[in-house]
Amino acid sequence: MASPVSRVAVVGSGISGAVCASLLARNGVSVTLFESARGPGGRMSYRKEITEDGKELVFDHGASHFTVSNPDVLGIIREWEARGLVAEWKEKFASFDCISRKFIEFEKEGLSKKYVGVPVMNSICRALCHEPGVESKFGVGVGSLEWFDEKNSWSLTGLDGQNLGNFEGVVASDKNIFSKRFTDVTGRPPPLELAAKLQEVPVCSCFVLMLAFTEPLSSISVKGFSFKNSEILSWAFCDSSKPGHPATSERWVLHSTMEYARGVVAQIGLQKPSSSTLAKVAEELFEEFQRTGLTISQPFFKKAHRWGSAFPAASIAREEKCLWDRKRRVAICGDFCVSPTVEGAILSGMAASSKLTEFLSCL
């Protein structure tokens, strides 16, 4: 058990940072979590859209679900199930071959369970970020993290120059704070000086298309499927079929291939896509959906979103599960450490929490 006066800053409220913050707080650490976005979740966040006639639509437009094989993670998932934060998504998945225009490779019984957040994917992160001992500050971007040897502590400064406080330890779960991409987007150097010691984490972009239909797409026999032989689409998920999710309309989320997204990014760069670019992407993804030969009616809602750097293309700490600098008490965690999955992110957050808790208990 760490000393109650130990203060740790966690930067980033994706599932890795949220899990780490929660576990640290349970071990007596005073945690302050900083998130530049308006709410928690990272790639587990959701989109709330309002149609022209005032209808509210909710989409899990990032991670659609997750599976678990690690016993330690499974223990955490069971706790979340008991709290009503997650539920098993019992739909079977398949693949769709765009050449033969047929569903193939139907999922077999007894494979790993699929889990979803209830009522949306980021419900898990939101609950963890508001547990006792965790103070979450949303809409607060960290501009710099500076280590002072004489004080044995970190000093954090906001993007606006505001002093965010001093901390005995730091957890960085947002890879952008030590990535060159931070400079590309903001024009500033990365906040964390460890950037020079780390390889640049390669990332992939992805576009998603959110669709809402008045009637169910009855020609589609499964609620989730991958695409074979498509250069544009990789996955499709029926969001409204998830347990605990609103079912007032049939909602689908389509994911582009990495190759398609790479081609668009090569044309427009890393800056935020314009509305006209997103409208063009939406048309191209929907046209590919229609080319399957499945009976796809016209949606009453259609909107594209780009995930610019959410999907890591490499793992930088597969064995250690996080990067840990004992001298300066900083841990780096995220799916980019273990594997580009929700389970990988959870494992990394658990490892970072363990490193800091063990160290702080010796102070």
Side-chain angles (χ1 to χ4, degrees):
M1 181 75 71
S3 165
V5 297
S6 297
R7 298 184 70 218
V8 169
V10 175
V11 184
S13 68
I15 188 65
S16 191
V19 164
C20 183
S22 169
L23 293 175
L24 285 170
R26 291 187 185 191
N27 281 284
V29 178
S30 175
V31 179
T32 304
L33 185 147
F34 298 98
E35 171 58 61
S36 58
R38 290 173 295 177
R43 193 154 43 93
M44 288 182 72
S45 59
Y46 73 100
R47 278 291 277 271
K48 182 185 291 184
E49 299 285 350
I50 307 296
T51 63
E52 291 180 0
D53 61 356
K55 182 178 294 186
E56 183 179 289
L57 301 171
V58 175
F59 297 91
D60 284 332
H61 68 316
S64 61
H65 67 286
F66 61 96
T67 59
V68 175
S69 59
N70 181 277
D72 294 329
V73 178
L74 194 56
I76 289 181
I77 303 308
R78 285 175 178 150
E79 179 196 325
W80 292 348
E81 272 191 295
R83 294 171 60 183
L85 298 177
V86 302
E88 184 185 351
W89 191 13
K90 296 183 179 180
E91 297 288 347
K92 289 183 184 178
F93 286 4
S95 293
F96 184 85
D97 182 19
C98 291
I99 295 177
S100 65
R101 293 188 172 187
K102 290 180 180 179
F103 282 105
I104 57 174
E105 299 173 7
F106 286 87
E107 210 170 44
K108 293 182 174 66
E109 292 280 359
L111 291 182
S112 56
K113 295 180 178 179
K114 296 181 284 290
Y115 296 97
V116 297
V118 178
V120 287
M121 285 295 284
N122 96 325
S123 300
I124 306 166
C125 297
R126 185 171 297 280
L128 298 179
C129 289
H130 289 92
E131 290 197 341
V134 180
E135 180 186 8
S136 293
K137 297 188 175 184
F138 300 109
V140 179
V142 175
S144 70
L145 300 94
E146 192 172 359
W147 170 258
F148 291 96
D149 278 319
E150 64 276 12
K151 296 180 181 178
N152 265 338
S153 67
W154 288 89
S155 176
L156 271 65
T157 306
L159 284 169
D160 58 0
Q162 178 187 358
N163 177 17
L164 300 178
N166 297 317
F167 301 88
E168 280 79 34
V170 164
V171 176
S173 68
D174 179 356
K175 59 183 171 295
N176 287 329
I177 74 165
F178 58 84
S179 166
K180 177 179 174 292
R181 187 176 185 276
F182 184 90
T183 304
D184 295 337
V185 174
T186 67
R188 301 170 178 231
L192 195 56
E193 291 181 2
L194 296 180
K197 298 181 182 180
L198 289 174
Q199 65 184 75
E200 182 72 18
V201 180
V203 294
C204 298
S205 297
C206 177
F207 284 92
V208 296
L209 177 62
M210 297 167 280
L211 300 168
F213 301 89
T214 305
E215 300 293 333
L217 300 183
S218 55
S219 66
I220 302 179
S221 59
V222 292
K223 300 302 182 182
F225 58 95
S226 62
F227 290 86
K228 301 284 187 183
N229 299 308
S230 171
E231 296 180 355
I232 297 176
L233 291 176
S234 62
W235 278 96
F237 302 100
C238 182
D239 217 43
S240 50
S241 71
K242 296 177 182 178
H245 285 51
T248 49
S249 59
E250 176 133 319
R251 299 181 310 284
W252 284 79
V253 177
L254 311 183
H255 290 231
S256 78
T257 61
M258 302 299 182
E259 292 75 21
Y260 171 84
R262 193 179 299 122
V264 176
V265 171
Q267 295 175 11
I268 67 172
L270 288 172
Q271 70 270 23
K272 185 178 179 180
S274 65
S275 55
S276 60
T277 295
L278 289 176
K280 182 172 181 286
V281 167
E283 285 302 321
E284 290 176 349
L285 296 185
F286 185 64
E287 286 172 5
E288 181 74 354
F289 198 29
Q290 288 181 309
R291 276 194 289 270
T292 58
L294 299 166
T295 304
I296 311 292
S297 57
Q298 280 297 319
F300 67 84
F301 179 86
K302 178 173 62 180
K303 189 172 186 178
H305 170 83
R306 185 197 71 180
W307 289 102
S309 63
F311 298 88
S315 301
I316 61 175
R318 192 177 294 275
E319 295 300 321
E320 303 89 344
K321 298 183 175 56
C322 72
L323 297 177
W324 169 239
D325 184 334
R326 182 181 175 86
K327 181 181 178 183
R328 299 204 293 177
R329 309 170 191 171
V330 56
I332 294 174
C333 63
D335 59 358
F336 52 89
C337 287
V338 183
S339 64
T341 62
V342 172
E343 181 178 29
I346 294 172
L347 276 169
S348 189
M350 292 169 66
S353 168
S354 177
K355 292 288 188 185
L356 269 164
T357 300
E358 181 183 353
F359 179 85
L360 293 172
S361 66
C362 298
L363 293 182

